[in-house]
Amino acid sequence: MKLLAATLQGWIGDTVVDATGLTGLFDLNLDFNVDEGKPDEGPTIFEAVQRLGLKLEARRGPVEVVVIDHVEKPSAN
């Protein structure tokens, strides 16, 4: 499920957190329309996820981030 969440994050463009509590490996087929301008060519990514019995819902909450506050070029040696 963590891999699915990471994959969905790439398609959706927002952070996706796995809150299912499911572990293990799953074999999934997620077919959806990648062109939102043509809605008659298949389900949206949200509809496709629902067909798997899952749900994407917007929430606010803590997420892990990496903050780089200083960068220097390495020395010559």
Short mmCIF file of all heavy atoms in Angstrom, two decimals:
data_model
loop_
_atom_site.label_atom_id
_atom_site.label_comp_id
_atom_site.label_asym_id
_atom_site.label_seq_id
_atom_site.Cartn_x
_atom_site.Cartn_y
_atom_site.Cartn_z
N MET A 1 0.81 -1.19 0.00
CA MET A 1 0.00 0.00 0.00
C MET A 1 0.86 1.26 0.00
O MET A 1 0.48 2.26 -0.58
CB MET A 1 -0.93 -0.01 1.21
CG MET A 1 -2.07 -0.98 1.07
SD MET A 1 -3.22 -0.41 -0.18
CE MET A 1 -3.39 -1.77 -1.22
N LYS A 2 2.02 1.19 0.66
CA LYS A 2 2.91 2.35 0.67
C LYS A 2 3.39 2.68 -0.74
O LYS A 2 3.49 3.84 -1.12
CB LYS A 2 4.07 2.13 1.62
CG LYS A 2 3.64 2.10 3.08
CD LYS A 2 4.82 2.15 4.00
CE LYS A 2 4.41 2.01 5.45
NZ LYS A 2 3.42 2.94 5.92
N LEU A 3 3.67 1.66 -1.54
CA LEU A 3 4.08 1.88 -2.92
C LEU A 3 2.94 2.46 -3.74
O LEU A 3 3.15 3.35 -4.56
CB LEU A 3 4.59 0.57 -3.54
CG LEU A 3 5.06 0.64 -4.98
CD1 LEU A 3 6.19 1.65 -5.13
CD2 LEU A 3 5.53 -0.71 -5.45
N LEU A 4 1.73 2.00 -3.52
CA LEU A 4 0.57 2.56 -4.21
C LEU A 4 0.41 4.03 -3.85
O LEU A 4 0.18 4.87 -4.72
CB LEU A 4 -0.71 1.78 -3.87
CG LEU A 4 -2.00 2.34 -4.47
CD1 LEU A 4 -1.95 2.35 -5.99
CD2 LEU A 4 -3.20 1.56 -3.96
N ALA A 5 0.54 4.37 -2.57
CA ALA A 5 0.42 5.76 -2.14
C ALA A 5 1.48 6.62 -2.80
O ALA A 5 1.20 7.73 -3.27
CB ALA A 5 0.53 5.86 -0.62
N ALA A 6 2.70 6.12 -2.89
CA ALA A 6 3.78 6.88 -3.54
C ALA A 6 3.50 7.06 -5.03
O ALA A 6 3.75 8.14 -5.59
CB ALA A 6 5.11 6.17 -3.33
N THR A 7 2.97 6.04 -5.67
CA THR A 7 2.64 6.12 -7.08
C THR A 7 1.50 7.12 -7.32
O THR A 7 1.57 7.94 -8.23
CB THR A 7 2.24 4.74 -7.63
OG1 THR A 7 3.32 3.83 -7.40
CG2 THR A 7 1.94 4.79 -9.11
N LEU A 8 0.48 7.06 -6.49
CA LEU A 8 -0.64 8.00 -6.61
C LEU A 8 -0.17 9.43 -6.39
O LEU A 8 -0.63 10.35 -7.06
CB LEU A 8 -1.74 7.65 -5.60
CG LEU A 8 -2.51 6.37 -5.87
CD1 LEU A 8 -3.43 6.05 -4.71
CD2 LEU A 8 -3.29 6.46 -7.17
N GLN A 9 0.75 9.61 -5.46
CA GLN A 9 1.30 10.94 -5.20
C GLN A 9 1.92 11.52 -6.45
O GLN A 9 1.76 12.70 -6.75
CB GLN A 9 2.33 10.85 -4.07
CG GLN A 9 2.92 12.18 -3.68
CD GLN A 9 3.74 12.06 -2.41
OE1 GLN A 9 3.28 11.49 -1.44
NE2 GLN A 9 4.92 12.60 -2.43
N GLY A 10 2.61 10.69 -7.22
CA GLY A 10 3.21 11.15 -8.46
C GLY A 10 2.17 11.59 -9.48
O GLY A 10 2.37 12.56 -10.20
N TRP A 11 1.06 10.89 -9.56
CA TRP A 11 0.01 11.23 -10.53
C TRP A 11 -0.83 12.41 -10.07
O TRP A 11 -1.24 13.23 -10.86
CB TRP A 11 -0.90 10.02 -10.78
CG TRP A 11 -0.29 9.04 -11.73
CD1 TRP A 11 0.32 7.87 -11.41
CD2 TRP A 11 -0.22 9.15 -13.14
NE1 TRP A 11 0.77 7.25 -12.54
CE2 TRP A 11 0.44 8.01 -13.63
CE3 TRP A 11 -0.66 10.10 -14.06
CZ2 TRP A 11 0.69 7.80 -14.98
CZ3 TRP A 11 -0.43 9.88 -15.42
CH2 TRP A 11 0.24 8.75 -15.85
N ILE A 12 -1.12 12.47 -8.77
CA ILE A 12 -2.00 13.51 -8.26
C ILE A 12 -1.27 14.82 -8.05
O ILE A 12 -1.82 15.90 -8.27
CB ILE A 12 -2.68 13.03 -6.95
CG1 ILE A 12 -3.59 11.85 -7.26
CG2 ILE A 12 -3.45 14.16 -6.28
CD1 ILE A 12 -4.13 11.17 -6.04
N GLY A 13 -0.02 14.74 -7.61
CA GLY A 13 0.76 15.95 -7.38
C GLY A 13 0.67 16.47 -5.96
O GLY A 13 1.27 17.47 -5.62
N ASP A 14 -0.08 15.81 -5.10
CA ASP A 14 -0.17 16.16 -3.68
C ASP A 14 0.35 14.98 -2.87
O ASP A 14 0.46 13.86 -3.36
CB ASP A 14 -1.62 16.44 -3.26
CG ASP A 14 -2.09 17.82 -3.66
OD1 ASP A 14 -1.25 18.74 -3.70
OD2 ASP A 14 -3.29 17.99 -3.92
N THR A 15 0.63 15.24 -1.60
CA THR A 15 1.08 14.18 -0.71
C THR A 15 -0.05 13.17 -0.51
O THR A 15 -1.18 13.55 -0.26
CB THR A 15 1.50 14.76 0.64
OG1 THR A 15 2.54 15.71 0.42
CG2 THR A 15 1.99 13.69 1.58
N VAL A 16 0.28 11.89 -0.65
CA VAL A 16 -0.68 10.81 -0.40
C VAL A 16 -0.11 9.96 0.72
O VAL A 16 1.01 9.47 0.64
CB VAL A 16 -0.91 9.95 -1.66
CG1 VAL A 16 -1.84 8.78 -1.36
CG2 VAL A 16 -1.47 10.80 -2.79
N VAL A 17 -0.88 9.81 1.79
CA VAL A 17 -0.45 9.06 2.96
C VAL A 17 -1.25 7.77 3.03
O VAL A 17 -2.48 7.78 2.92
CB VAL A 17 -0.69 9.90 4.24
CG1 VAL A 17 -0.30 9.11 5.48
CG2 VAL A 17 0.10 11.20 4.17
N ASP A 18 -0.55 6.66 3.22
CA ASP A 18 -1.21 5.37 3.37
C ASP A 18 -1.76 5.26 4.79
O ASP A 18 -1.00 5.14 5.74
CB ASP A 18 -0.21 4.24 3.10
CG ASP A 18 -0.77 2.87 3.45
OD1 ASP A 18 -2.01 2.71 3.49
OD2 ASP A 18 0.03 1.95 3.68
N ALA A 19 -3.06 5.31 4.93
CA ALA A 19 -3.70 5.18 6.24
C ALA A 19 -4.52 3.89 6.32
O ALA A 19 -5.39 3.76 7.18
CB ALA A 19 -4.58 6.40 6.51
N THR A 20 -4.25 2.94 5.43
CA THR A 20 -5.04 1.71 5.40
C THR A 20 -4.67 0.75 6.52
O THR A 20 -5.51 -0.02 6.96
CB THR A 20 -4.85 0.96 4.06
OG1 THR A 20 -3.48 0.56 3.94
CG2 THR A 20 -5.26 1.82 2.88
N GLY A 21 -3.41 0.78 6.92
CA GLY A 21 -2.96 -0.19 7.92
C GLY A 21 -2.68 -1.56 7.32
O GLY A 21 -2.35 -2.49 8.03
N LEU A 22 -2.83 -1.68 6.01
CA LEU A 22 -2.60 -2.97 5.34
C LEU A 22 -1.12 -3.17 5.08
O LEU A 22 -0.41 -2.24 4.71
CB LEU A 22 -3.36 -3.01 4.01
CG LEU A 22 -4.88 -2.91 4.10
CD1 LEU A 22 -5.48 -2.78 2.71
CD2 LEU A 22 -5.45 -4.10 4.83
N THR A 23 -0.65 -4.38 5.28
CA THR A 23 0.75 -4.71 5.00
C THR A 23 0.78 -5.85 4.00
O THR A 23 -0.24 -6.46 3.70
CB THR A 23 1.47 -5.13 6.30
OG1 THR A 23 0.81 -6.25 6.85
CG2 THR A 23 1.52 -4.00 7.30
N GLY A 24 1.94 -6.13 3.50
CA GLY A 24 2.07 -7.22 2.54
C GLY A 24 2.09 -6.70 1.12
O GLY A 24 2.09 -5.50 0.87
N LEU A 25 2.11 -7.63 0.19
CA LEU A 25 2.15 -7.28 -1.22
C LEU A 25 0.79 -7.55 -1.86
O LEU A 25 0.12 -8.52 -1.52
CB LEU A 25 3.22 -8.11 -1.93
CG LEU A 25 4.65 -7.93 -1.43
CD1 LEU A 25 5.59 -8.89 -2.15
CD2 LEU A 25 5.10 -6.49 -1.64
N PHE A 26 0.42 -6.68 -2.78
CA PHE A 26 -0.85 -6.80 -3.48
C PHE A 26 -0.61 -6.66 -4.97
O PHE A 26 0.25 -5.91 -5.40
CB PHE A 26 -1.84 -5.72 -3.02
CG PHE A 26 -2.17 -5.80 -1.56
CD1 PHE A 26 -1.40 -5.15 -0.62
CD2 PHE A 26 -3.26 -6.54 -1.14
CE1 PHE A 26 -1.70 -5.22 0.72
CE2 PHE A 26 -3.57 -6.63 0.21
CZ PHE A 26 -2.78 -5.96 1.14
N ASP A 27 -1.37 -7.39 -5.76
CA ASP A 27 -1.31 -7.30 -7.22
C ASP A 27 -2.53 -6.51 -7.67
O ASP A 27 -3.65 -7.00 -7.60
CB ASP A 27 -1.31 -8.71 -7.82
CG ASP A 27 -1.10 -8.69 -9.32
OD1 ASP A 27 -0.66 -7.66 -9.86
OD2 ASP A 27 -1.40 -9.72 -9.96
N LEU A 28 -2.30 -5.26 -8.11
CA LEU A 28 -3.39 -4.35 -8.46
C LEU A 28 -3.29 -3.92 -9.91
O LEU A 28 -2.21 -3.79 -10.46
CB LEU A 28 -3.34 -3.09 -7.59
CG LEU A 28 -3.34 -3.27 -6.09
CD1 LEU A 28 -3.08 -1.94 -5.41
CD2 LEU A 28 -4.67 -3.83 -5.65
N ASN A 29 -4.44 -3.68 -10.52
CA ASN A 29 -4.51 -3.03 -11.82
C ASN A 29 -5.31 -1.75 -11.63
O ASN A 29 -6.46 -1.80 -11.21
CB ASN A 29 -5.22 -3.91 -12.86
CG ASN A 29 -4.36 -5.07 -13.29
OD1 ASN A 29 -3.17 -4.92 -13.49
ND2 ASN A 29 -4.96 -6.22 -13.45
N LEU A 30 -4.68 -0.63 -11.93
CA LEU A 30 -5.33 0.66 -11.75
C LEU A 30 -5.41 1.33 -13.12
O LEU A 30 -4.43 1.89 -13.61
CB LEU A 30 -4.54 1.52 -10.76
CG LEU A 30 -5.18 2.82 -10.32
CD1 LEU A 30 -6.45 2.53 -9.54
CD2 LEU A 30 -4.22 3.62 -9.47
N ASP A 31 -6.55 1.19 -13.76
CA ASP A 31 -6.76 1.77 -15.08
C ASP A 31 -7.58 3.05 -14.94
O ASP A 31 -8.68 3.02 -14.38
CB ASP A 31 -7.52 0.79 -15.98
CG ASP A 31 -6.71 -0.47 -16.25
OD1 ASP A 31 -5.49 -0.35 -16.47
OD2 ASP A 31 -7.30 -1.55 -16.21
N PHE A 32 -7.02 4.16 -15.43
CA PHE A 32 -7.73 5.44 -15.34
C PHE A 32 -7.35 6.32 -16.51
O PHE A 32 -6.37 6.10 -17.21
CB PHE A 32 -7.42 6.15 -14.02
CG PHE A 32 -5.96 6.47 -13.80
CD1 PHE A 32 -5.44 7.70 -14.17
CD2 PHE A 32 -5.11 5.53 -13.24
CE1 PHE A 32 -4.11 7.99 -13.97
CE2 PHE A 32 -3.77 5.81 -13.04
CZ PHE A 32 -3.27 7.05 -13.41
N ASN A 33 -8.15 7.34 -16.73
CA ASN A 33 -7.96 8.29 -17.81
C ASN A 33 -6.91 9.32 -17.40
O ASN A 33 -7.11 10.03 -16.43
CB ASN A 33 -9.31 8.98 -18.12
CG ASN A 33 -9.21 9.99 -19.24
OD1 ASN A 33 -8.18 10.14 -19.86
ND2 ASN A 33 -10.29 10.70 -19.46
N VAL A 34 -5.82 9.39 -18.13
CA VAL A 34 -4.77 10.34 -17.79
C VAL A 34 -5.02 11.72 -18.38
O VAL A 34 -4.38 12.69 -18.00
CB VAL A 34 -3.37 9.84 -18.23
CG1 VAL A 34 -2.99 8.59 -17.46
CG2 VAL A 34 -3.32 9.60 -19.73
N ASP A 35 -5.97 11.85 -19.29
CA ASP A 35 -6.30 13.13 -19.92
C ASP A 35 -7.62 13.64 -19.37
O ASP A 35 -8.69 13.24 -19.81
CB ASP A 35 -6.36 12.98 -21.44
CG ASP A 35 -6.53 14.30 -22.16
OD1 ASP A 35 -6.68 15.35 -21.49
OD2 ASP A 35 -6.51 14.29 -23.40
N GLU A 36 -7.55 14.54 -18.39
CA GLU A 36 -8.77 15.05 -17.77
C GLU A 36 -9.62 15.86 -18.74
O GLU A 36 -10.80 16.09 -18.49
CB GLU A 36 -8.42 15.91 -16.55
CG GLU A 36 -7.82 15.10 -15.42
CD GLU A 36 -7.44 15.96 -14.23
OE1 GLU A 36 -7.74 17.17 -14.23
OE2 GLU A 36 -6.84 15.40 -13.30
N GLY A 37 -9.05 16.27 -19.85
CA GLY A 37 -9.80 17.01 -20.85
C GLY A 37 -10.75 16.13 -21.66
O GLY A 37 -11.58 16.63 -22.42
N LYS A 38 -10.62 14.82 -21.53
CA LYS A 38 -11.48 13.87 -22.24
C LYS A 38 -12.14 12.93 -21.24
O LYS A 38 -11.75 11.77 -21.10
CB LYS A 38 -10.64 13.08 -23.25
CG LYS A 38 -9.98 13.94 -24.30
CD LYS A 38 -9.15 13.11 -25.25
CE LYS A 38 -8.48 14.00 -26.28
NZ LYS A 38 -7.62 13.24 -27.18
N PRO A 39 -13.14 13.41 -20.52
CA PRO A 39 -13.75 12.62 -19.45
C PRO A 39 -14.46 11.35 -19.92
O PRO A 39 -14.68 10.45 -19.11
CB PRO A 39 -14.75 13.59 -18.81
CG PRO A 39 -15.04 14.59 -19.86
CD PRO A 39 -13.79 14.70 -20.69
N ASP A 40 -14.79 11.25 -21.19
CA ASP A 40 -15.50 10.06 -21.68
C ASP A 40 -14.56 8.90 -22.00
O ASP A 40 -15.01 7.85 -22.44
CB ASP A 40 -16.35 10.42 -22.90
CG ASP A 40 -15.52 11.04 -24.02
OD1 ASP A 40 -14.46 11.62 -23.73
OD2 ASP A 40 -15.95 10.94 -25.19
N GLU A 41 -13.26 9.07 -21.76
CA GLU A 41 -12.30 8.02 -22.10
C GLU A 41 -11.88 7.17 -20.90
O GLU A 41 -10.82 6.59 -20.91
CB GLU A 41 -11.08 8.64 -22.77
CG GLU A 41 -11.39 9.19 -24.14
CD GLU A 41 -10.15 9.62 -24.89
OE1 GLU A 41 -9.03 9.33 -24.45
OE2 GLU A 41 -10.31 10.26 -25.94
N GLY A 42 -12.70 7.11 -19.89
CA GLY A 42 -12.39 6.26 -18.75
C GLY A 42 -12.53 6.98 -17.44
O GLY A 42 -12.75 8.19 -17.40
N PRO A 43 -12.41 6.24 -16.34
CA PRO A 43 -12.59 6.83 -15.02
C PRO A 43 -11.43 7.75 -14.64
O PRO A 43 -10.32 7.60 -15.14
CB PRO A 43 -12.64 5.62 -14.09
CG PRO A 43 -11.81 4.59 -14.79
CD PRO A 43 -12.06 4.82 -16.26
N THR A 44 -11.72 8.69 -13.74
CA THR A 44 -10.64 9.51 -13.19
C THR A 44 -9.81 8.65 -12.25
O THR A 44 -10.22 7.53 -11.88
CB THR A 44 -11.20 10.70 -12.40
OG1 THR A 44 -11.87 10.20 -11.23
CG2 THR A 44 -12.15 11.55 -13.23
N ILE A 45 -8.68 9.15 -11.84
CA ILE A 45 -7.83 8.40 -10.91
C ILE A 45 -8.56 8.16 -9.59
O ILE A 45 -8.43 7.12 -8.98
CB ILE A 45 -6.47 9.10 -10.70
CG1 ILE A 45 -5.50 8.16 -9.98
CG2 ILE A 45 -6.63 10.42 -9.98
CD1 ILE A 45 -4.07 8.60 -10.02
N PHE A 46 -9.39 9.12 -9.17
CA PHE A 46 -10.14 8.99 -7.93
C PHE A 46 -11.19 7.88 -8.04
O PHE A 46 -11.38 7.08 -7.12
CB PHE A 46 -10.79 10.32 -7.55
CG PHE A 46 -9.77 11.41 -7.33
CD1 PHE A 46 -9.48 12.32 -8.33
CD2 PHE A 46 -9.10 11.51 -6.12
CE1 PHE A 46 -8.53 13.31 -8.13
CE2 PHE A 46 -8.16 12.49 -5.91
CZ PHE A 46 -7.86 13.40 -6.92
N GLU A 47 -11.87 7.83 -9.19
CA GLU A 47 -12.86 6.77 -9.43
C GLU A 47 -12.20 5.40 -9.51
O GLU A 47 -12.73 4.41 -9.01
CB GLU A 47 -13.65 7.06 -10.71
CG GLU A 47 -14.52 8.29 -10.62
CD GLU A 47 -15.05 8.75 -11.99
OE1 GLU A 47 -14.46 8.39 -13.03
OE2 GLU A 47 -16.05 9.48 -11.98
N ALA A 48 -11.04 5.34 -10.15
CA ALA A 48 -10.32 4.07 -10.29
C ALA A 48 -9.88 3.54 -8.92
O ALA A 48 -9.97 2.34 -8.66
CB ALA A 48 -9.11 4.25 -11.20
N VAL A 49 -9.44 4.42 -8.04
CA VAL A 49 -9.04 4.01 -6.70
C VAL A 49 -10.26 3.50 -5.94
O VAL A 49 -10.17 2.49 -5.22
CB VAL A 49 -8.35 5.18 -5.96
CG1 VAL A 49 -8.21 4.89 -4.48
CG2 VAL A 49 -6.99 5.47 -6.58
N GLN A 50 -11.40 4.15 -6.10
CA GLN A 50 -12.63 3.68 -5.43
C GLN A 50 -13.04 2.30 -5.92
O GLN A 50 -13.57 1.49 -5.15
CB GLN A 50 -13.77 4.67 -5.65
CG GLN A 50 -13.66 5.89 -4.76
CD GLN A 50 -14.86 6.80 -4.90
OE1 GLN A 50 -15.41 6.95 -5.98
NE2 GLN A 50 -15.26 7.39 -3.79
N ARG A 51 -12.80 2.00 -7.19
CA ARG A 51 -13.13 0.67 -7.72
C ARG A 51 -12.29 -0.43 -7.06
O ARG A 51 -12.66 -1.59 -7.10
CB ARG A 51 -12.95 0.65 -9.23
CG ARG A 51 -14.00 1.47 -9.94
CD ARG A 51 -13.80 1.48 -11.43
NE ARG A 51 -14.80 2.33 -12.06
CZ ARG A 51 -14.88 2.53 -13.35
NH1 ARG A 51 -14.03 1.95 -14.17
NH2 ARG A 51 -15.81 3.32 -13.85
N LEU A 52 -11.15 -0.05 -6.49
CA LEU A 52 -10.32 -1.00 -5.75
C LEU A 52 -10.81 -1.17 -4.31
O LEU A 52 -10.26 -1.96 -3.56
CB LEU A 52 -8.86 -0.53 -5.72
CG LEU A 52 -8.11 -0.48 -7.04
CD1 LEU A 52 -6.72 0.10 -6.83
CD2 LEU A 52 -8.02 -1.86 -7.67
N GLY A 53 -11.83 -0.40 -3.94
CA GLY A 53 -12.33 -0.46 -2.57
C GLY A 53 -11.60 0.49 -1.64
O GLY A 53 -11.70 0.37 -0.42
N LEU A 54 -10.84 1.41 -2.21
CA LEU A 54 -10.09 2.39 -1.43
C LEU A 54 -10.70 3.76 -1.63
O LEU A 54 -11.55 3.96 -2.48
CB LEU A 54 -8.62 2.39 -1.84
CG LEU A 54 -7.90 1.05 -1.71
CD1 LEU A 54 -6.54 1.12 -2.36
CD2 LEU A 54 -7.78 0.67 -0.25
N LYS A 55 -10.23 4.72 -0.85
CA LYS A 55 -10.78 6.07 -0.95
C LYS A 55 -9.67 7.09 -0.76
O LYS A 55 -8.86 6.97 0.16
CB LYS A 55 -11.85 6.25 0.14
CG LYS A 55 -12.52 7.58 0.18
CD LYS A 55 -13.60 7.54 1.24
CE LYS A 55 -13.99 8.90 1.70
NZ LYS A 55 -14.99 8.84 2.76
N LEU A 56 -9.65 8.08 -1.63
CA LEU A 56 -8.74 9.22 -1.48
C LEU A 56 -9.54 10.37 -0.91
O LEU A 56 -10.56 10.76 -1.47
CB LEU A 56 -8.15 9.63 -2.84
CG LEU A 56 -7.12 8.69 -3.44
CD1 LEU A 56 -6.80 9.12 -4.87
CD2 LEU A 56 -5.87 8.66 -2.61
N GLU A 57 -9.11 10.90 0.22
CA GLU A 57 -9.82 12.03 0.79
C GLU A 57 -8.81 13.09 1.23
O GLU A 57 -7.72 12.76 1.71
CB GLU A 57 -10.71 11.63 1.95
CG GLU A 57 -10.00 10.99 3.12
CD GLU A 57 -10.96 10.56 4.21
OE1 GLU A 57 -12.06 10.07 3.91
OE2 GLU A 57 -10.58 10.70 5.38
N ALA A 58 -9.18 14.34 1.02
CA ALA A 58 -8.31 15.45 1.39
C ALA A 58 -8.35 15.65 2.90
O ALA A 58 -9.42 15.66 3.50
CB ALA A 58 -8.77 16.71 0.68
N ARG A 59 -7.19 15.78 3.48
CA ARG A 59 -7.05 16.03 4.91
C ARG A 59 -5.87 16.94 5.14
O ARG A 59 -4.96 17.02 4.32
CB ARG A 59 -6.76 14.74 5.69
CG ARG A 59 -7.88 13.77 5.77
CD ARG A 59 -7.47 12.67 6.71
NE ARG A 59 -8.47 11.62 6.76
CZ ARG A 59 -8.32 10.51 7.43
NH1 ARG A 59 -7.21 10.29 8.09
NH2 ARG A 59 -9.27 9.61 7.45
N ARG A 60 -5.88 17.57 6.28
CA ARG A 60 -4.71 18.33 6.71
C ARG A 60 -4.08 17.56 7.85
O ARG A 60 -4.76 17.01 8.69
CB ARG A 60 -5.11 19.72 7.19
CG ARG A 60 -5.61 20.59 6.07
CD ARG A 60 -5.94 21.97 6.59
NE ARG A 60 -6.50 22.78 5.55
CZ ARG A 60 -5.81 23.66 4.83
NH1 ARG A 60 -4.54 23.83 5.06
NH2 ARG A 60 -6.41 24.36 3.89
N GLY A 61 -2.76 17.52 7.85
CA GLY A 61 -2.08 16.81 8.92
C GLY A 61 -0.59 16.93 8.76
O GLY A 61 -0.08 17.49 7.77
N PRO A 62 0.14 16.41 9.72
CA PRO A 62 1.60 16.49 9.65
C PRO A 62 2.16 15.56 8.58
O PRO A 62 1.66 14.46 8.38
CB PRO A 62 2.03 16.05 11.05
CG PRO A 62 0.92 15.19 11.54
CD PRO A 62 -0.33 15.73 10.92
N VAL A 63 3.16 16.04 7.89
CA VAL A 63 3.89 15.24 6.91
C VAL A 63 5.37 15.47 7.12
O VAL A 63 5.78 16.52 7.60
CB VAL A 63 3.49 15.57 5.44
CG1 VAL A 63 2.07 15.17 5.15
CG2 VAL A 63 3.71 17.03 5.15
N GLU A 64 6.16 14.49 6.78
CA GLU A 64 7.61 14.63 6.90
C GLU A 64 8.15 15.44 5.73
O GLU A 64 7.75 15.22 4.58
CB GLU A 64 8.27 13.26 6.93
CG GLU A 64 7.95 12.46 8.17
CD GLU A 64 8.70 11.15 8.22
OE1 GLU A 64 9.81 11.06 7.64
OE2 GLU A 64 8.17 10.22 8.82
N VAL A 65 9.06 16.36 6.03
CA VAL A 65 9.71 17.15 5.00
C VAL A 65 11.20 17.24 5.31
O VAL A 65 11.61 17.06 6.45
CB VAL A 65 9.12 18.57 4.89
CG1 VAL A 65 7.68 18.54 4.45
CG2 VAL A 65 9.28 19.33 6.18
N VAL A 66 11.99 17.51 4.30
CA VAL A 66 13.41 17.75 4.47
C VAL A 66 13.66 19.22 4.16
O VAL A 66 13.27 19.71 3.10
CB VAL A 66 14.25 16.85 3.53
CG1 VAL A 66 15.72 17.18 3.64
CG2 VAL A 66 13.99 15.39 3.84
N VAL A 67 14.30 19.92 5.08
CA VAL A 67 14.60 21.33 4.90
C VAL A 67 16.10 21.49 4.81
O VAL A 67 16.84 21.08 5.70
CB VAL A 67 14.04 22.18 6.08
CG1 VAL A 67 14.42 23.64 5.91
CG2 VAL A 67 12.54 22.01 6.19
N ILE A 68 16.56 22.10 3.73
CA ILE A 68 17.98 22.39 3.55
C ILE A 68 18.15 23.87 3.82
O ILE A 68 17.64 24.71 3.07
CB ILE A 68 18.45 22.02 2.13
CG1 ILE A 68 18.23 20.53 1.90
CG2 ILE A 68 19.91 22.39 1.94
CD1 ILE A 68 18.45 20.09 0.48
N ASP A 69 18.87 24.20 4.90
CA ASP A 69 18.97 25.61 5.24
C ASP A 69 20.34 26.21 4.90
O ASP A 69 20.53 27.41 5.04
CB ASP A 69 18.64 25.84 6.71
CG ASP A 69 19.61 25.12 7.64
OD1 ASP A 69 20.52 24.43 7.17
OD2 ASP A 69 19.42 25.25 8.87
N HIS A 70 21.27 25.38 4.41
CA HIS A 70 22.59 25.92 4.05
C HIS A 70 23.27 24.97 3.07
O HIS A 70 23.24 23.76 3.25
CB HIS A 70 23.45 26.08 5.32
CG HIS A 70 24.77 26.69 5.06
ND1 HIS A 70 24.94 28.03 4.85
CD2 HIS A 70 26.01 26.14 4.99
CE1 HIS A 70 26.22 28.28 4.66
NE2 HIS A 70 26.89 27.15 4.74
N VAL A 71 23.91 25.55 2.05
CA VAL A 71 24.64 24.76 1.06
C VAL A 71 25.95 25.47 0.76
O VAL A 71 25.99 26.68 0.61
CB VAL A 71 23.83 24.62 -0.25
CG1 VAL A 71 24.63 23.87 -1.30
CG2 VAL A 71 22.51 23.91 0.00
N GLU A 72 27.04 24.70 0.70
CA GLU A 72 28.35 25.25 0.33
C GLU A 72 29.00 24.33 -0.69
O GLU A 72 28.77 23.12 -0.68
CB GLU A 72 29.27 25.32 1.55
CG GLU A 72 28.90 26.36 2.56
CD GLU A 72 29.91 26.41 3.70
OE1 GLU A 72 31.03 25.88 3.55
OE2 GLU A 72 29.56 26.98 4.75
N LYS A 73 29.82 24.90 -1.55
CA LYS A 73 30.61 24.08 -2.47
C LYS A 73 31.70 23.37 -1.66
O LYS A 73 32.23 23.94 -0.71
CB LYS A 73 31.24 24.94 -3.55
CG LYS A 73 30.26 25.43 -4.58
CD LYS A 73 30.97 26.10 -5.73
CE LYS A 73 29.97 26.47 -6.80
NZ LYS A 73 30.63 26.99 -7.99
N PRO A 74 32.05 22.15 -2.04
CA PRO A 74 33.11 21.45 -1.31
C PRO A 74 34.47 22.11 -1.53
O PRO A 74 34.70 22.76 -2.56
CB PRO A 74 33.08 20.03 -1.89
CG PRO A 74 32.37 20.17 -3.19
CD PRO A 74 31.49 21.36 -3.10
N SER A 75 35.36 21.92 -0.57
CA SER A 75 36.71 22.47 -0.70
C SER A 75 37.49 21.70 -1.77
O SER A 75 37.11 20.61 -2.18
CB SER A 75 37.43 22.41 0.63
OG SER A 75 37.58 21.06 1.04
N ALA A 76 38.62 22.25 -2.20
CA ALA A 76 39.41 21.67 -3.30
C ALA A 76 40.05 20.34 -2.92
O ALA A 76 40.38 19.54 -3.78
CB ALA A 76 40.49 22.65 -3.74
N ASN A 77 40.27 20.05 -1.66
CA ASN A 77 40.94 18.79 -1.28
C ASN A 77 39.88 17.80 -1.01
O ASN A 77 39.64 16.83 -0.83
CB ASN A 77 41.85 18.96 -0.08
CG ASN A 77 41.17 19.66 1.07
OD1 ASN A 77 40.06 20.14 0.93
ND2 ASN A 77 41.85 19.73 2.19
#
